[in-house]
Amino acid sequence: MSIVNGLPASFSPESYDAIVVGAGYAGAVCARRLAEACGSKVAVIERRNHIAGNAHDCYDEAGVLIHSYGPHIYHTTNDRVHEFLSRFTEWTDYQHKVLANIHGTLMPVPFNHTSLKLAFGEEKGEHLYQKLVAAFGENKRVPIMELRAKNDPELSEVADYVYENVFLYYTMKQWGKTPDQIDPSITGRVPVFVGDDDRYFPGAPHQGMPAEGYTRMFERLLDHDLINVFLGVDVRDIMEVRSDMVYVCDRPYGGEVVYTGQLDELFGLDLGALPYRTLRMEFETLPQDSFQPVATVNYTTTEDFTRITEFKLMTGQVLPGVTTIMREYSAAYEPESGQTPYYAILEDESQALYRRYRERVDGILNFHCVGRLAEYRYYDMDGVVASALELSDELISSNR
Ligand code: FAD
Ligand code: UDP
């Protein structure tokens, strides 16, 4: 493998069997598999000055390992994804826990048995818990919108409390809309949990953090003789889609192209911009061992930021006397402004626009879209890896 900055004058697309756009999960997994299984020579073009996409981590000036684009916690139920990534890293046994700061009281999220007792008092909380168990069973995940639909005064009391104190203000900050106005699958990611498990991802058998960090895992993933990575290169400077053909450096390109960026950008937003939310992240280093009791505290009833993450509590790094925290502020994304498009806004209109862009490339046999941006999906890391494994399966079987 080589990783270089910029594209050398000698760069010749024809000398590569495949061009992968983006060095995040989607691109790195496809590059590795094409190199390994097909013996393909792969150029990975990345416009940032680093690999690992939004999962990138690095040490800050105080020596704290931080996540550059927000807290990333690995969790999956997918054995194939886990086996594949485990070739490139060991995992810590970190189990993510989140507390919601509800008017000053810290309660577990997903809202669970403990949260009920903190919110309603020991006796009433227990009574309401037994009602939830009777209605849904124990150790069940109940999306807030499903709970709200129940026609029972006591269950409605729980639903109203959770809706008002956990979801409403946080969702307004994160999406600029109320929970009723967004796709229920989004709030469904953090259901009420009828049980005592206080982990954020109670159902995931594989969870933890890469033992030496995400960037180190990506270095190993991309470490193959047939993979060359070019950083700081915006592929739009060398690649264009014209009718049913991909051009690279102004010449038709016959190799495989795996594209993991935004589709609207590739076409100069000519059908309109796909809507996203972006984040402003405020990092702060403090001269103390620790700042908060768990790695992430969600501010669900107060403050302008959504959550505070303390990285050392997630990574397990031991570094006395200093800690780094990060506050996340969500905002509307402005296209072509240099902002990062962190979250696709999944609404009928935006999906329809996405499909119009997608139709333009679906007929091009050697052009493939994969990943959170290129598929315009709200994927977690494991979802992207699963999608990239599927795409690379197809490419491998057609290139053998
Ligand atoms: P990306 O990581 O975005 O990679 C795409 C790459 O393509 C980028 O590096 C980009 O620079 C490059 N690119 C784009 N356009 C061009 C171009 N024109 N030319 C060259 N290069 C280009 N998932 C979890 O599982 N657990 C978590 O805890 C978690 N937390 C998250 C927190 C936040 C704040 C966010 C935003 C996401 C989180 N995720 C989490 C999701 C996770 O980040 C993504 O699923 C995953 O990183 C997406 O990988 P990707 O390869 O599809 O995209
Ligand atoms: N959510 C909320 N309050 C919380 C946690 C989550 O309202 O304390 C809602 C909010 O709409 C958020 C969504 O659930 O965008 C998904 O939360 P998750 O933590 O999965 O978001 P991510 O980590 O992807 O930003």
Side-chain angles (χ1 to χ4, degrees), residues 22 25-26 46-47 54 71-73 234-235 372 379-381:
Y25 278 98
E46 168 56 61
R47 72 175 164 202
N54 281 347
H72 278 70
I73 301 94
D234 192 319
V235 86
R372 182 153 152 141
Y379 272 137
D380 284 322
M381 296 184 279

Side-chain angles (χ1 to χ4, degrees), residues 71 98-100 109 165-172 174-175 179 182 185-190 200-201 279 298-300 307 328 343 372 378 380:
V98 175
L99 294 172
V109 176
N165 291 289
V166 178
F167 286 96
L168 183 58
Y169 185 56
Y170 188 101
T171 299
M172 290 290 292
Q174 176 73 4
W175 298 100
I182 63 173
S185 66
I186 296 173
T187 48
R189 288 167 57 88
V190 189
Y200 205 58
F201 308 111
L279 297 171
N298 289 355
Y299 285 77
T300 58
R307 56 188 176 189
E328 282 172 61
Y343 296 90
R372 182 153 152 141
Y378 193 168
D380 284 322

Side-chain angles (χ1 to χ4, degrees), residues 16-90:
Y16 290 96
D17 302 300
I19 295 181
V20 170
V21 180
Y25 278 98
V29 169
C30 288
R32 177 77 190 203
R33 292 206 71 222
L34 288 176
E36 220 163 49
C38 304
S40 299
K41 192 170 174 209
V42 186
V44 178
I45 310 280
E46 168 56 61
R47 72 175 164 202
R48 289 170 169 165
N49 62 2
H50 60 73
I51 59 172
N54 281 347
H56 180 257
D57 55 13
C58 62
Y59 289 90
D60 68 9
E61 281 176 12
V64 180
L65 181 61
I66 58 167
H67 293 179
S68 321
Y69 304 95
H72 278 70
I73 301 94
Y74 171 73
H75 59 99
T76 190
T77 54
N78 185 320
D79 291 337
R80 185 180 183 207
V81 165
H82 188 63
E83 266 171 43
F84 181 79
L85 291 178
S86 299
R87 290 177 51 201
F88 309 103
T89 186
E90 306 270 314

Side-chain angles (χ1 to χ4, degrees), residues 81-130:
V81 165
H82 188 63
E83 266 171 43
F84 181 79
L85 291 178
S86 299
R87 290 177 51 201
F88 309 103
T89 186
E90 306 270 314
W91 303 97
T92 70
D93 62 1
Y94 174 69
Q95 308 284 305
H96 192 47
K97 293 185 180 176
V98 175
L99 294 172
N101 183 319
I102 299 180
H103 298 296
T105 303
L106 297 178
M107 304 186 194
V109 176
F111 202 86
N112 68 3
H113 193 183
T114 310
S115 322
L116 266 173
K117 291 197 275 191
L118 284 166
F120 292 96
E122 190 71 29
E123 206 175 309
K124 185 169 178 189
E126 187 58 37
H127 172 72
L128 292 172
Y129 178 68
Q130 293 310 331

